[in-house]
Amino acid sequence: IKHPNLECHEIEDMIKHILVLLKPDIEEAGINVNCSVKPGLTVNIDREQIEQVVINVVKNAVQALAAADKEERSLTITAMPYEGGGAFISVADNGTGIEEEALKKIFIPFYTTKKNGSGIGLSLSKQIMRKHGGNITAKSQIGEGTEFLLKFAS
């Protein structure tokens, strides 16, 4: 991973762009997207690298929801500032959730729970977030869904 070229970017603009890119997959899976982004919220990021992280996490959520036997599939993307500086982006779904044992390993390179997965998406995402001075974490509950939290330092 190359060193991030940090510039000030508006999160809302980036998320709108990502949702346009992934719209066909989201619609095909019948997913209802809720987006709550603080207008004007900016972060110092390498936009290309962070887009890669957000796309990866959203695609994972879309795949999990497409496979879920749920009447209503929802994806919620939230971006807000932290008190005292920094910001976060949350990507949450109401899919089937991730088993606790798997959750402990999802950021390990080449670990995957998918039949056709490579196991590099989330480990790469973790590296990108660390290079930005931030972090990515996940929490999940079986039958309830999963949330990925991208934390950015101020």
Side-chain angles (χ1 to χ4, degrees):
I1 299 167
K2 64 181 176 140
H3 192 71
N5 178 20
L6 300 180
E7 291 178 3
C8 192
H9 290 279
E10 206 168 295
I11 292 178
E12 186 176 32
D13 179 51
M14 181 180 72
I15 289 174
K16 280 182 180 173
H17 173 73
I18 290 166
L19 289 174
V20 167
L21 282 176
L22 299 178
K23 187 177 182 178
D25 296 342
I26 290 168
E27 286 180 350
E28 188 183 324
I31 298 168
N32 181 26
V33 178
N34 305 301
C35 206
S36 175
V37 180
K38 182 172 171 44
L41 179 62
T42 59
V43 283
N44 271 329
I45 56 171
D46 183 313
R47 181 167 165 157
E48 201 175 286
Q49 288 184 3
I50 297 303
E51 273 189 359
Q52 187 181 347
V53 172
V54 177
I55 286 169
N56 182 45
V57 173
V58 171
K59 270 186 153 179
N60 285 350
V62 169
Q63 289 169 356
L65 285 166
D69 189 21
K70 295 248 176 168
E71 203 168 294
E72 192 176 311
R73 297 177 174 113
S74 70
L75 175 66
T76 304
I77 301 171
T78 310
M80 296 289 160
Y82 273 124
E83 214 174 290
F88 73 87
I89 299 173
S90 162
V91 177
D93 67 65
N94 71 334
T96 54
I98 303 169
E99 296 281 345
E100 197 175 325
E101 277 308 303
L103 197 60
K104 292 175 186 172
K105 301 175 186 170
I106 59 172
F107 294 108
I108 296 171
F110 308 112
Y111 178 81
T112 184
T113 58
K114 298 179 194 170
K115 279 185 184 132
N116 299 321
S118 65
I120 58 170
L122 288 174
S123 68
L124 198 61
S125 295
K126 186 106 173 162
Q127 289 176 40
I128 290 170
M129 288 304 296
R130 285 195 174 140
K131 287 220 179 235
H132 280 76
N135 198 9
I136 180 172
T137 56
K139 62 182 180 183
S140 188
Q141 205 165 346
I142 295 299
E144 300 291 313
T146 303
E147 178 186 21
F148 280 86
L149 195 61
L150 286 66
K151 300 175 188 173
F152 299 92
S154 53

